[in-house]
Amino acid sequence: MSVAVPVPGPDELPRWRDTALSPGERADDLISLLTLEEKIAQLYGVWVGVDSSGEEVAPHQHDFADAPVDWQGLITRGLGQLTRPFGTAPVDAALGARALARTQREIIAASRLGIPALAHEECLAGFTAWGATIYPVPLAWGATFDAALVERMAGRIGVSMASVGVHQGLAPVLDVVRDYRWGRVEETIGEDPYLVGVIATAYVRGLEQAGIVATLKHFVGYSASRAGRNHAPVSAGPRELADVLLPPFEMALRLGGARSVMHSYADVDGLAPAANHALLTTLLRDTWGFEGTVVADYFGISFLEALHGLAGNARDAGVLALTAGVDVELPTLRCYGDPLVDAVTADEVDEKLVDRAVRRVLAQKAELGLLNSDWSPLPPALVDLAESFDDVERGSVDLDLDADRALAREVAEKSIVLLRNDSALPVTPHARILVTGPRADDPLAMMGCYSFPSHVLSHHPDVALGLSAPTLLESLRAELPTSTIAYALGCDVSTADESGIAAAVAAAGDADVVVVALGDRAGLFGRGTSGEGCDAADLTLPGVQGQLLDALLDTGKPVIVVLTTGRPYAIGQYVDRAAAVVQAFFPGEEGGPALAGVISGRVSPSGRLPVSIPADASGQPGTYLAPPLGRRTEVSNLDPTALFPFGFGLSLTQFSWDDVTLDGSPVSDRVDVPTDGSVAVSLTVRNTGDRSGAEVVQVYLHDPVAQTTRPVVRLIGFARVELAAGQSRRVTFELSADLTAFTGIDGGRIVEPGDLELRLSTSSRDVVTTVPLRLTGPLRRVDHTRTLVADVTVAA
């Protein structure tokens, strides 16, 4: 066991405080001064304020976090992380920042070397703190097809977190949807790895540029669980992992600069990622060159014992995780700490592995400025407001600024997908409108599972929402002041009570048009219809919402269906009878005004589906990324064809595409491109309607013959094109042959010569024009250094 090394005198600046040295050099010097216990103290977090009296915020929270913590005794060793100081209970932002600063001061004073803790928070739909701006969920980010917008949003989220002393954000989620029944679909960006990777990379850039450590989750395979059950085994093979599930992580690390990765809860082919050295060390670090931290998903190390059966006790679980490459145990101490100290002392694990992990942790603290001699526990925003802790006043920090609300509305408006419009939208300004449905007059209808109200406030029913979140009903009344708007509930989200349906039908008799708001209630572990641990047996609308919709459609009145959901639902039996169908994926605090704007015509909808809408609720859900046998065939009576395909979305204006060129020349015959070359595909997009709008040009690859079965089409490029009425813009995609790469027979990634087809499309199914290509030359082997994204230019 290492022993304490004398600390330099007061007039002598230790090397680890020297900002002229690299973060790694500073970490190495500090490690040489630490005892074994002090090193390991840097490898875990503590969840202050969590005990056995409250409800669960995380799975198995009370199984592993109910033992009392000797706080004063614990922090004498130092502390690696503070878990969710703002996201555990409702706390005023200024007072929470003051409390966090005081906690940091305690840690510094109690420990021998005075190393501050790193504070982390969730930020999946905005900073998960009371009163902070609630943005649309990631599935809505995907629906925007707008990476620049998502980057701006992430930057604002990061600024908000940094302003109160938070250093690390547990986002984004890079899981690619494989089964819509999975409860966490709302947390994903979509079902296509290219879309997920591009949008997630943008989010990472925004968060990191704000000084917040972005944490990629969940590495890897979590979304591919059998039957869409949370924490269920995953049967994905190496090709699905390599070609579908891993590429978004490659993009976000290489192109986004993420500094942390969170392992998943999955059981992938019998291997738990938390104990998988080949995944966390060989691939992530040795091959991809990642130098940041790997953090545990909450209680994920304990799950090696409790759920996976890979360890007999906490000590064994800690040894397995550390050896595999997990640097930090979250959310609180159980398997590292003393169990790991004992394991090192007993020669069950080499202390070099402890040093490896602590070096990564301390280097990151150096990057964040936590090791600087002038670091202050009071964040800069509060220093401007107060001279001391005691001067910080309630309400002096605003986490929901007007500019942030405006950005939340922009994301919401651009994420709304118009699925059907039989001349019902925009509505007539003086119409008599019935607004009904369980999602019409509830602000939580707009919020996902990881929004603060859904995630935490459900345990504090007497606490106010903390911000303004207009409902759809309120928003329509504000949007359409000359209309007569009535309201009837109709039914609940998930119960079997049909008693309110008759009243809604009766009220429809007095209306010119009916707006029915249906969808999900986000929650945790079965307390909602969408969210973590809220998996669905099938894709039928929850409760009796389908019966309400049927009854309203039977009235013969024009019915505008508004869906605010966390997953796609099978609505095929209703669509043809509906006057319009509008899909939103938990659009956040400004979702009500955004939806009202679509209904009034103020907003021209421009979102595109990041997931397909299934036709059948009972069939095995399948995404568009299917090989030929995954499509409709003559050898099965079940047709998996989607009702609305990935990438689909209507507009209130019209567009034309023309003048397609390949490397500047008109497309005629098939063009040869070397397997190490690239090609530029250009087209002109014109708004031929009488109002502004946005078109999303999508480029899909069709590879008819390959070594292994391939998806019939897969996305390799897209461009969102904003156009005023009558305006045209030239769009160019520079496409590297690397974008055609896939995992070959021998498990290596290859660019294979042969005939290909580019499909310029408005969705994965709706092709505008095709461009034939032939890759020529030798078969090329490529790796993680290949070109990962198309270079897209939209001329002004």
Side-chain angles (χ1 to χ4, degrees):
M1 183 183 298
S2 57
V3 296
V5 175
V7 179
D11 297 327
E12 184 182 349
L13 182 70
R15 282 175 55 80
W16 61 272
R17 294 283 197 194
D18 187 352
T19 57
L21 299 177
S22 71
E25 290 172 320
R26 297 171 70 184
D28 288 337
D29 182 65
L30 189 48
I31 289 170
S32 71
L33 305 176
L34 297 175
T35 67
L36 175 62
E37 290 81 1
E38 288 170 335
K39 291 177 188 176
I40 291 176
Q42 294 296 315
L43 305 185
Y44 53 75
V46 171
W47 200 347
V48 180
V50 172
D51 56 40
S52 58
S53 62
E55 299 228 21
E56 287 193 337
V57 178
H60 296 268
Q61 171 180 310
H62 298 143
D63 295 343
F64 304 128
D66 57 353
V69 173
D70 176 12
W71 172 253
Q72 292 300 328
L74 188 71
I75 61 176
T76 59
R77 299 179 176 184
L79 183 62
Q81 290 220 12
L82 286 164
T83 292
R84 299 186 69 177
F86 293 88
T88 302
V91 58
D92 173 82
L95 300 187
R98 183 177 71 182
L100 175 57
R102 283 176 168 164
T103 300
Q104 292 279 30
R105 189 167 60 176
E106 286 183 29
I107 295 168
I108 292 168
S111 55
R112 187 170 63 91
L113 294 173
I115 305 168
L118 185 153
H120 76 260
E121 282 291 352
E122 299 284 358
C123 56
L124 198 63
F127 180 15
T128 307
W130 187 69
T133 303
I134 300 169
Y135 292 90
V137 298
L139 203 57
W141 311 348
T144 69
F145 277 72
D146 192 335
L149 176 63
V150 171
E151 184 171 339
R152 281 199 289 129
M153 177 193 71
R156 290 303 309 162
I157 293 170
V159 167
S160 178
M161 297 170 77
S163 73
V164 290
V166 175
H167 311 104
Q168 181 169 2
L170 304 187
V173 168
L174 285 83
D175 295 298
V176 179
V177 175
R178 305 300 282 164
D179 191 322
Y180 311 127
R181 296 174 296 181
W182 190 46
R184 305 191 78 167
V185 167
E186 64 173 75
E187 299 179 43
T188 74
I189 294 167
E191 68 182 50
D192 179 87
Y194 187 87
L195 176 67
V196 172
V198 170
I199 298 297
T201 296
Y203 183 92
V204 167
R205 280 198 298 262
L207 206 63
E208 289 281 357
Q209 287 166 8
I212 298 295
V213 175
T215 307
L216 310 183
K217 58 187 192 181
H218 306 89
F219 193 64
V220 65
Y222 192 24
S223 59
S225 59
R226 295 177 194 161
R229 292 180 60 247
N230 201 39
H231 289 215
V234 172
S235 300
R239 286 182 180 81
E240 184 175 356
L241 283 169
D243 292 343
V244 177
L245 301 175
L246 285 172
F249 290 92
E250 293 181 79
M251 289 189 199
L253 290 171
R254 260 189 62 202
L255 307 180
R259 287 182 284 174
S260 191
V261 170
M262 175 181 280
H263 75 72
S264 85
Y265 287 137
D267 163 1
V268 183
D269 193 25
L271 297 175
N276 190 337
H277 184 274
L279 178 69
L280 300 183
T281 297
T282 305
L283 175 64
L284 182 62
R285 297 193 183 280
D286 298 344
T287 300
W288 290 357
F290 177 62
E291 296 181 348
T293 57
V294 172
V295 301
D297 203 344
Y298 282 15
F299 306 111
I301 299 177
S302 289
F303 288 168
L304 296 176
E305 172 194 357
L307 297 183
H308 294 295
L310 297 176
N313 51 50
R315 176 164 151 178
D316 291 348
V319 170
L320 278 174
L322 183 73
T323 303
V326 180
D327 302 312
V328 181
E329 180 181 17
L330 297 180
T332 201
L333 170 62
R334 181 173 182 266
C335 300
Y336 280 10
D338 286 340
L340 205 52
V341 171
D342 294 342
V344 173
T345 304
D347 291 329
E348 294 173 10
V349 62
D350 195 327
E351 189 172 349
K352 290 180 180 179
L353 295 180
V354 173
D355 292 347
R356 179 184 70 176
V358 78
R359 186 180 193 274
R360 296 164 183 163
V361 168
L362 293 176
Q364 200 158 88
K365 288 189 175 184
E367 291 172 0
L368 293 166
L370 297 179
L371 303 187
N372 296 354
S373 56
D374 60 352
W375 181 81
S376 170
L378 204 62
L382 293 188
V383 171
D384 294 338
L385 296 173
E387 295 181 359
S388 69
F389 295 117
D390 295 332
D391 293 333
V392 176
E393 297 181 357
R394 178 185 296 273
S396 59
V397 173
D398 187 355
L399 297 180
D400 189 31
L401 298 171
D402 290 346
D404 295 328
R405 292 192 69 92
L407 182 55
R409 183 179 292 199
E410 183 180 356
V411 178
E413 289 177 350
K414 290 184 175 180
S415 71
I416 294 170
V417 184
L418 181 60
L419 297 177
R420 175 176 169 81
N421 185 24
D422 188 12
S423 302
L425 298 178
V427 298
T428 304
H430 301 285
R432 295 175 301 163
I433 303 172
L434 170 67
V435 179
T436 184
R439 303 286 74 197
D441 197 29
D442 183 354
L444 294 180
M446 306 295 166
M447 301 175 191
C449 173
Y450 270 76
S451 68
F452 191 86
S454 299
H455 204 74
V456 180
L457 273 192
S458 59
H459 309 313
H460 302 270
D462 298 329
V463 178
L465 202 61
L467 43 70
S468 172
T471 68
L472 178 60
L473 176 63
E474 293 168 341
S475 301
L476 282 170
R477 285 175 170 160
E479 185 82 26
L480 300 167
T482 61
S483 294
T484 302
I485 298 178
Y487 168 68
L489 175 63
C491 67
D492 181 54
V493 172
S494 56
T495 69
D497 183 5
E498 299 183 35
S499 61
I501 294 179
V505 170
D510 297 325
D512 300 319
V513 64
V514 176
V515 176
V516 56
L518 308 174
D520 280 314
R521 177 189 295 115
L524 285 165
F525 317 123
R527 294 192 292 270
T529 60
S530 174
E532 186 173 359
C534 298
D535 309 317
D538 60 36
L539 296 171
T540 305
L541 283 168
V544 295
Q545 294 183 72
Q547 288 90 314
L548 171 64
L549 180 53
D550 254 332
L552 292 169
L553 292 168
D554 286 344
T555 66
K557 298 285 186 175
V559 176
I560 299 169
V561 182
V562 176
L563 299 165
T564 55
T565 68
R567 63 163 64 84
Y569 284 101
I571 54 173
Q573 68 193 87
Y574 315 111
V575 165
D576 289 343
R577 294 186 289 154
V581 180
V582 178
Q583 172 71 64
F585 298 106
F586 289 137
E589 65 182 39
E590 286 290 321
L595 284 163
V598 168
I599 292 170
S600 74
R602 175 178 56 81
V603 175
S604 183
S606 57
R608 300 295 186 266
L609 286 175
V611 286
S612 307
I613 303 286
D616 187 351
S618 60
Q620 172 66 41
T623 73
Y624 93 95
L625 282 176
L629 285 181
R631 301 295 184 97
R632 181 183 179 183
T633 69
E634 300 302 318
V635 295
S636 173
N637 62 311
L638 296 179
D639 184 359
T641 304
L643 178 67
F644 295 106
F646 171 86
F648 178 84
L650 301 176
S651 176
L652 296 181
T653 188
Q654 299 81 43
F655 303 95
S656 68
W657 299 9
D658 53 36
D659 192 21
V660 179
T661 62
L662 206 59
D663 287 337
S665 300
V667 176
S668 53
D669 297 329
R670 192 179 303 273
V671 172
D672 289 351
V673 179
T675 54
D676 61 353
S678 64
V679 65
V681 181
S682 302
L683 71 157
T684 297
V685 181
R686 179 173 285 102
N687 182 347
T688 60
D690 58 2
R691 60 180 298 156
S692 63
E695 177 71 300
V696 178
V697 181
Q698 301 160 49
V699 182
Y700 292 87
L701 176 71
H702 172 59
D703 188 351
V705 179
Q707 284 188 16
T708 62
T709 58
R710 305 296 302 132
V712 175
V713 291
R714 64 181 177 91
L715 187 69
I716 60 169
F718 64 85
R720 181 186 173 94
V721 188
E722 307 276 354
L723 294 166
Q727 184 184 13
S728 65
R729 300 178 76 179
R730 189 76 175 161
V731 183
T732 300
F733 298 89
E734 184 75 27
L735 303 169
S736 167
D738 290 4
L739 296 175
T740 72
F742 63 93
T743 303
I745 292 174
D746 64 0
R749 195 181 301 276
I750 60 172
V751 175
E752 185 180 40
D755 291 341
L756 301 171
E757 187 176 83
L758 300 179
R759 297 181 177 179
L760 305 182
S761 309
T762 58
S763 80
S764 59
R765 193 162 66 206
D766 300 302
V767 182
V768 175
T769 189
T770 61
V771 179
L773 297 176
R774 176 180 290 116
L775 289 183
T776 61
L779 181 146
R780 271 182 66 229
R781 296 195 175 273
V782 295
D783 58 20
H784 63 284
T785 63
R786 68 193 183 282
T787 299
L788 294 171
V789 298
D791 186 6
V792 182
T793 303
V794 180

